[in-house]
């Protein structure tokens, strides 16, 4: 999979991509991430990529020319399955969306300022708008990093134990059951007996039951 990021703040993304699960995916050759600095596509001598909003004045808006020029450059090289714009008014990211996107070959992710981009970018270039939740961030970079982390770990071969992504919370609309490691007892708190029993069927039954209990308690909305 190949992901091309378009951003005014490339530094914000580099550190994340060099340390996370995404780093592992990249060194295994399963995922390639390229970060493009929007400023490199500005066609004016001040390298200006944003401007005042027509009519409302206050707040800077990303201009269409540098974005269009960057996107067209990329499209000359390959076809893209999606051109995603990170925005708080987009479709909310969930595990299902991450699953779907993890199967794509090439995607572009555009990160905006909080005041947004010229509407014509959204009308003519963007195929999908994604939000990571109902709150406002000052830019799309952190949201884009969240999106790529959620996708990256689902690409087959990225996690060493492939089944571990399949048993995550949300994968079957249930929260994950509790897990334990050594010691068996700590300050009077014991590991549930069944987990020490070696009886796989019993353990599976216990895990399903606790996943259901936990979901009922903390996220009943997932069960409806
Ligand atoms: Cl994708 N962008 C921004 N700026 N804020 C957000 C968001 C995205 N998702 C939630 N808040």
């Amino acid at each position: 999979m190949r992901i091309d990021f378009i951003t005014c703040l490339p530094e914000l993304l580099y550190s994340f991509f060099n340390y996370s699960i995404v780093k592992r995916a990249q060194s295994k050759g399963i995922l390639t991430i390229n970060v493009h600095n929007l400023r490199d596509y500005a066609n004016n001598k001040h390298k200006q990529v944003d401007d005042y909003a027509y009519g409302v004045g206050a707040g800077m808006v990303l201009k269409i020319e540098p974005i269009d020029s960057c996107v067209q450059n990329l499209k000359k090289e390959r076809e893209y399955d999606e051109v995603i714009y990170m925005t708080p008014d987009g479709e909310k990211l969930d595990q299902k969306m991450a699953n779907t996107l993890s199967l794509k070959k090439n995607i572009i992710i555009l990160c905006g300022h909080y005041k947004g981009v010229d509407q014509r970018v959204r009308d003519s270039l963007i195929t999908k708008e994604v939000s990571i939740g109902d709150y406002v961030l000052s830019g799309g970079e952190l949201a884009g990093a969240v999106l790529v982390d959620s996708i990256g770990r689902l690409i087959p071969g990225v996690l060493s134990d492939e089944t571990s992504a399949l048993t995550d919370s949300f994968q079957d609309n249930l929260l994950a059951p509790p897990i334990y490691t050594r010691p068996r007892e700590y300050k009077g708190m014991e590991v549930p007996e069944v987990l020490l029993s070696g009886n796989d069927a019993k353990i599976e039954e216990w895990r399903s039951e606790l996943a259901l209990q936990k979901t009922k308690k903390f996220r009943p909305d997932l069960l409806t």
Side-chain angles (χ1 to χ4, degrees), residues 85-88 112-114 130-140 143-144:
Y85 174 48
M86 300 308 301
T87 174
H113 281 197
Y114 80 109
V130 178
S131 162
I132 63 163
D134 289 339
Y135 41 83
V136 179
L137 304 169
S138 44

Side-chain angles (χ1 to χ4, degrees), residues 78-117:
R78 66 197 66 78
E79 279 192 20
Y80 284 89
D81 301 298
E82 296 284 7
V83 182
I84 296 172
Y85 174 48
M86 300 308 301
T87 174
D89 54 9
E91 183 188 342
K92 214 183 291 177
L93 173 64
D94 61 11
Q95 195 61 38
K96 185 162 165 273
M97 190 197 290
N99 284 339
T100 306
L101 289 174
S102 73
L103 302 172
K104 306 286 184 197
K105 195 153 170 267
N106 301 313
I107 62 178
I108 292 174
I109 299 178
L110 171 66
C111 306
H113 281 197
Y114 80 109
K115 275 290 172 197
V117 298

